[in-house]
Amino acid sequence: RRRRKINVENAAEFMYILPIVVRAFEMEITPANRIVAQIGETVMLTCNTTGCASPSFSWRIQTDNPLGGTVSNHGTYSTLTMSPVSVENAHDYLCTVFCGIEKKEKSVKVELYSFPSDPVIEISTSLVAGEQATIICKIPDVYPSDHLEVLLKKEEHILLEKNFFEDDSTNTETKIVTYSFNPTTEDIGKDIICVAKLLIADMDFEPKERVTSQKLNANFGPKNTIITASPSISAMEGDSLKLTCVTESNPPPQIVWRRQVADKSVQYLVENSVLSIPHAHFTDSGLYICEVINLVTNKTEKATVDIVIQAPPKNTTLSVFPSNAVKQGESVAFSCTSTGVPAVQITLRKKVGDVITTLETQGGKYTIGRVQLKDAGTYECVSSNELGEESQHIVLDVKVPPQNITVLVHPSENVKEGENVTITCSTYSNPPSQMVLKKVHPEREIILSSVNGTFILYNVTKNDTGRYLLDVFNEVGNNIKVIEIAVVGRVEKTDQMMAVIIAFSCVTAIAIPVVAILIYVSRKAKINGSYSLVKALRLKV
């Protein structure tokens, strides 16, 4: 490429030189010279520089005490934070800045005070006309207290004027002014005023004056405490009931309602002058106590009223011990309870069919020492008063084991082969008994069940001879009867025997079916515990 030559002399004609401004190294401290702060607040002192890219900062107290704060450097400025500020921070603080070898420093004075809240007035005792009382005015956390002035007034009349100019406290303190006097009835309702002033010359803060007032009041009572009941002290169940505790007391008392119930225990209810029961229940009956407490006079007074809520019988219960199903001979206890106002009358009755028997009880309790089957039946507890009646019932079941067992054998215990034997058993028990007839056998046990207490042995043979055990039982117990049955052979005549032989040869053709029928009947007898040749022949026909 072809390079273009520039004539330097000509280029100088077009050049413009910018002026460079160099700022001088300076520093400032804020707040400047002096700061007034209240003890407990946060105070921040800032040392700022200009004209120095990398200044170096240091803080110190001219008395060489600890700083009592935290230093933070941020390039061209540095901060000293005191939080919370305390009496120990009341000093001149010096900030020194180096920029290279150049040094600058400035100081600021920290002045502190404490006047955080209004005075507090306290009256040492209840004000009673003619009796000495003491008024106390407290000025909390004051500093410096040697600048404090206190004025105590009743309305515009000055009662006491006091200053603490000679006080040498070096920290915050609560200053107290007391004044004793004998109040009169004319003093009631007047204002007691406490004025506190913290006057420090050349120190700018607000407020420099704080004021508190309190009215004088005569405290008395409680006295003449009574309870009013609306609509009355005797109400019907479901009605609304309001009890009001009325008393004379100043200041207004604390009122506590309690109730004393039947067992003399006391229940806490509510803290209010009015006790409301929107829907009264008979269980709300009892002695109501209004306790009035005057926390100032430290006196207590009580008033009572007996409230009766009328209601028909309720919660009627009938229980039986040990249970409503017992064994004969056991003891049974009935208990009937109920509630109601007016007081209920309890009657225990026994019902068997249409027969009703009233039982004699003691406090609703009735005991049967040794219960019998005749005691079984329905027992009813009836509770009644002027407003109504309520009842509960329970069925008593008396369980009896088999008794008075009677066994009849027909035609007799000694029978001939081919006859039917009917065994009939009757007994007295609850619940009804079951019966099982067992034949005693050395190898196997033959069991026959009854049909309504009756057993039938059909067409008995000599094999049916033996001892039979009749077991009569229910869930309560059992009883066993022994029956001896003897079966003797039947005597046959000669001509009859010939007829049997002829008959037998005539029926040879049907022998096989008859054998089959006999096998069937035999198996059935093993299942049912009985057998019958007559029935077998009927099946064939």
Short mmCIF file of all heavy atoms in Angstrom, two decimals, residues 281-309:
data_model
loop_
_atom_site.label_atom_id
_atom_site.label_comp_id
_atom_site.label_asym_id
_atom_site.label_seq_id
_atom_site.Cartn_x
_atom_site.Cartn_y
_atom_site.Cartn_z
N HIS A 281 -81.17 -27.14 82.76
CA HIS A 281 -81.30 -28.59 82.88
C HIS A 281 -81.37 -28.92 84.36
O HIS A 281 -80.83 -28.16 85.21
CB HIS A 281 -80.09 -29.28 82.23
CG HIS A 281 -80.25 -30.75 82.06
ND1 HIS A 281 -79.77 -31.65 82.97
CD2 HIS A 281 -80.84 -31.48 81.08
CE1 HIS A 281 -80.05 -32.88 82.57
NE2 HIS A 281 -80.69 -32.80 81.42
N PHE A 282 -82.03 -30.02 84.70
CA PHE A 282 -82.19 -30.32 86.12
C PHE A 282 -80.85 -30.49 86.82
O PHE A 282 -80.72 -30.26 88.02
CB PHE A 282 -83.07 -31.55 86.31
CG PHE A 282 -82.38 -32.86 86.08
CD1 PHE A 282 -81.87 -33.59 87.13
CD2 PHE A 282 -82.25 -33.36 84.79
CE1 PHE A 282 -81.23 -34.79 86.91
CE2 PHE A 282 -81.62 -34.57 84.57
CZ PHE A 282 -81.10 -35.29 85.63
N THR A 283 -79.78 -30.83 86.06
CA THR A 283 -78.46 -30.94 86.67
C THR A 283 -77.87 -29.57 87.02
O THR A 283 -76.83 -29.51 87.67
CB THR A 283 -77.50 -31.67 85.72
OG1 THR A 283 -77.48 -31.00 84.45
CG2 THR A 283 -77.93 -33.12 85.51
N ASP A 284 -78.50 -28.48 86.58
CA ASP A 284 -78.04 -27.14 86.93
C ASP A 284 -78.49 -26.74 88.33
O ASP A 284 -78.13 -25.66 88.81
CB ASP A 284 -78.57 -26.11 85.91
CG ASP A 284 -77.96 -26.30 84.53
OD1 ASP A 284 -76.75 -26.57 84.46
OD2 ASP A 284 -78.69 -26.18 83.53
N SER A 285 -79.28 -27.57 88.98
CA SER A 285 -79.71 -27.27 90.35
C SER A 285 -78.50 -27.27 91.28
O SER A 285 -77.53 -27.99 91.06
CB SER A 285 -80.72 -28.32 90.84
OG SER A 285 -81.89 -28.28 90.05
N GLY A 286 -78.56 -26.45 92.32
CA GLY A 286 -77.47 -26.41 93.30
C GLY A 286 -77.36 -25.06 93.95
O GLY A 286 -78.15 -24.14 93.70
N LEU A 287 -76.36 -24.94 94.82
CA LEU A 287 -76.10 -23.68 95.53
C LEU A 287 -75.12 -22.86 94.72
O LEU A 287 -73.97 -23.27 94.50
CB LEU A 287 -75.54 -23.97 96.92
CG LEU A 287 -75.32 -22.75 97.81
CD1 LEU A 287 -76.66 -22.14 98.22
CD2 LEU A 287 -74.51 -23.11 99.05
N TYR A 288 -75.53 -21.70 94.25
CA TYR A 288 -74.69 -20.81 93.46
C TYR A 288 -74.06 -19.76 94.37
O TYR A 288 -74.75 -19.17 95.21
CB TYR A 288 -75.50 -20.16 92.34
CG TYR A 288 -75.79 -21.13 91.21
CD1 TYR A 288 -76.79 -22.09 91.32
CD2 TYR A 288 -75.04 -21.10 90.04
CE1 TYR A 288 -77.05 -22.98 90.30
CE2 TYR A 288 -75.29 -21.99 89.00
CZ TYR A 288 -76.30 -22.93 89.14
OH TYR A 288 -76.54 -23.81 88.12
N ILE A 289 -72.76 -19.55 94.16
CA ILE A 289 -71.99 -18.64 95.02
C ILE A 289 -71.41 -17.54 94.15
O ILE A 289 -70.72 -17.80 93.16
CB ILE A 289 -70.85 -19.40 95.73
CG1 ILE A 289 -71.42 -20.60 96.51
CG2 ILE A 289 -70.07 -18.48 96.64
CD1 ILE A 289 -70.35 -21.57 96.94
N CYS A 290 -71.69 -16.30 94.53
CA CYS A 290 -71.07 -15.14 93.89
C CYS A 290 -70.02 -14.58 94.83
O CYS A 290 -70.33 -14.15 95.95
CB CYS A 290 -72.13 -14.08 93.57
SG CYS A 290 -71.44 -12.48 93.10
N GLU A 291 -68.76 -14.61 94.39
CA GLU A 291 -67.65 -14.11 95.22
C GLU A 291 -67.13 -12.81 94.61
O GLU A 291 -66.72 -12.78 93.45
CB GLU A 291 -66.53 -15.15 95.30
CG GLU A 291 -65.40 -14.74 96.22
CD GLU A 291 -64.34 -15.82 96.36
OE1 GLU A 291 -64.32 -16.74 95.52
OE2 GLU A 291 -63.54 -15.75 97.30
N VAL A 292 -67.18 -11.73 95.41
CA VAL A 292 -66.80 -10.40 94.95
C VAL A 292 -65.48 -10.02 95.62
O VAL A 292 -65.35 -10.07 96.85
CB VAL A 292 -67.89 -9.37 95.29
CG1 VAL A 292 -67.52 -8.01 94.74
CG2 VAL A 292 -69.23 -9.82 94.74
N ILE A 293 -64.49 -9.64 94.78
CA ILE A 293 -63.15 -9.36 95.30
C ILE A 293 -62.73 -7.96 94.84
O ILE A 293 -62.67 -7.68 93.64
CB ILE A 293 -62.13 -10.39 94.79
CG1 ILE A 293 -62.61 -11.82 95.10
CG2 ILE A 293 -60.76 -10.14 95.39
CD1 ILE A 293 -61.85 -12.88 94.36
N ASN A 294 -62.43 -7.08 95.81
CA ASN A 294 -61.87 -5.77 95.50
C ASN A 294 -60.36 -5.89 95.66
O ASN A 294 -59.85 -6.04 96.78
CB ASN A 294 -62.43 -4.70 96.44
CG ASN A 294 -62.03 -3.30 96.02
OD1 ASN A 294 -60.91 -3.07 95.55
ND2 ASN A 294 -62.94 -2.35 96.18
N LEU A 295 -59.64 -5.85 94.55
CA LEU A 295 -58.20 -6.07 94.58
C LEU A 295 -57.45 -4.90 95.21
O LEU A 295 -56.29 -5.06 95.61
CB LEU A 295 -57.69 -6.31 93.15
CG LEU A 295 -58.29 -7.53 92.44
CD1 LEU A 295 -57.76 -7.62 91.01
CD2 LEU A 295 -57.99 -8.81 93.20
N VAL A 296 -58.09 -3.74 95.31
CA VAL A 296 -57.44 -2.57 95.90
C VAL A 296 -57.59 -2.59 97.41
O VAL A 296 -56.63 -2.44 98.17
CB VAL A 296 -58.00 -1.27 95.30
CG1 VAL A 296 -57.37 -0.05 95.98
CG2 VAL A 296 -57.75 -1.23 93.80
N THR A 297 -58.81 -2.76 97.89
CA THR A 297 -59.03 -2.80 99.33
C THR A 297 -58.68 -4.16 99.92
O THR A 297 -58.64 -4.32 101.13
CB THR A 297 -60.50 -2.49 99.66
OG1 THR A 297 -61.34 -3.51 99.08
CG2 THR A 297 -60.91 -1.14 99.09
N ASN A 298 -58.47 -5.13 99.02
CA ASN A 298 -58.13 -6.50 99.44
C ASN A 298 -59.22 -7.08 100.34
O ASN A 298 -58.94 -7.79 101.31
CB ASN A 298 -56.78 -6.52 100.16
CG ASN A 298 -56.19 -7.92 100.21
OD1 ASN A 298 -56.45 -8.74 99.34
ND2 ASN A 298 -55.40 -8.19 101.24
N LYS A 299 -60.46 -6.80 99.97
CA LYS A 299 -61.60 -7.32 100.72
C LYS A 299 -62.45 -8.20 99.81
O LYS A 299 -62.53 -7.97 98.60
CB LYS A 299 -62.44 -6.18 101.29
CG LYS A 299 -61.73 -5.38 102.37
CD LYS A 299 -62.62 -4.27 102.91
CE LYS A 299 -61.90 -3.48 104.01
NZ LYS A 299 -62.76 -2.38 104.53
N THR A 300 -63.09 -9.21 100.42
CA THR A 300 -63.91 -10.17 99.69
C THR A 300 -65.26 -10.32 100.39
O THR A 300 -65.33 -10.33 101.62
CB THR A 300 -63.22 -11.55 99.62
OG1 THR A 300 -61.97 -11.40 98.95
CG2 THR A 300 -64.07 -12.55 98.85
N GLU A 301 -66.31 -10.46 99.57
CA GLU A 301 -67.65 -10.70 100.12
C GLU A 301 -68.34 -11.73 99.23
O GLU A 301 -68.13 -11.75 98.02
CB GLU A 301 -68.44 -9.40 100.18
CG GLU A 301 -69.74 -9.52 100.97
CD GLU A 301 -70.40 -8.17 101.19
OE1 GLU A 301 -71.02 -7.65 100.24
OE2 GLU A 301 -70.30 -7.63 102.31
N LYS A 302 -69.18 -12.57 99.86
CA LYS A 302 -69.88 -13.62 99.11
C LYS A 302 -71.39 -13.51 99.32
O LYS A 302 -71.85 -13.05 100.36
CB LYS A 302 -69.42 -15.01 99.57
CG LYS A 302 -67.97 -15.33 99.26
CD LYS A 302 -67.62 -16.73 99.74
CE LYS A 302 -66.18 -17.07 99.46
NZ LYS A 302 -65.81 -18.43 99.93
N ALA A 303 -72.12 -13.95 98.29
CA ALA A 303 -73.57 -14.09 98.37
C ALA A 303 -73.93 -15.44 97.75
O ALA A 303 -73.25 -15.91 96.83
CB ALA A 303 -74.27 -12.95 97.65
N THR A 304 -74.98 -16.08 98.25
CA THR A 304 -75.38 -17.39 97.74
C THR A 304 -76.88 -17.42 97.45
O THR A 304 -77.65 -16.64 98.01
CB THR A 304 -75.06 -18.51 98.75
OG1 THR A 304 -75.80 -18.28 99.96
CG2 THR A 304 -73.57 -18.55 99.07
N VAL A 305 -77.26 -18.34 96.55
CA VAL A 305 -78.67 -18.57 96.25
C VAL A 305 -78.83 -20.03 95.85
O VAL A 305 -77.97 -20.59 95.16
CB VAL A 305 -79.18 -17.63 95.13
CG1 VAL A 305 -78.45 -17.89 93.82
CG2 VAL A 305 -80.67 -17.77 94.95
N ASP A 306 -79.90 -20.67 96.34
CA ASP A 306 -80.15 -22.07 96.04
C ASP A 306 -81.12 -22.15 94.86
O ASP A 306 -82.27 -21.72 94.96
CB ASP A 306 -80.74 -22.76 97.27
CG ASP A 306 -80.62 -24.27 97.19
OD1 ASP A 306 -80.02 -24.75 96.22
OD2 ASP A 306 -81.14 -24.97 98.09
N ILE A 307 -80.63 -22.68 93.73
CA ILE A 307 -81.42 -22.77 92.51
C ILE A 307 -81.96 -24.19 92.35
O ILE A 307 -81.21 -25.17 92.48
CB ILE A 307 -80.58 -22.38 91.27
CG1 ILE A 307 -80.13 -20.92 91.39
CG2 ILE A 307 -81.36 -22.60 89.99
CD1 ILE A 307 -81.27 -19.92 91.41
N VAL A 308 -83.26 -24.28 92.06
CA VAL A 308 -83.90 -25.57 91.86
C VAL A 308 -84.50 -25.60 90.44
O VAL A 308 -85.36 -24.78 90.11
CB VAL A 308 -85.01 -25.83 92.90
CG1 VAL A 308 -85.70 -27.16 92.61
CG2 VAL A 308 -84.43 -25.82 94.31
N ILE A 309 -84.03 -26.53 89.62
CA ILE A 309 -84.57 -26.72 88.27
C ILE A 309 -85.46 -27.96 88.31
O ILE A 309 -84.99 -29.06 88.57
CB ILE A 309 -83.46 -26.90 87.22
CG1 ILE A 309 -82.45 -25.73 87.30
CG2 ILE A 309 -84.06 -27.00 85.83
CD1 ILE A 309 -83.05 -24.38 87.04
#
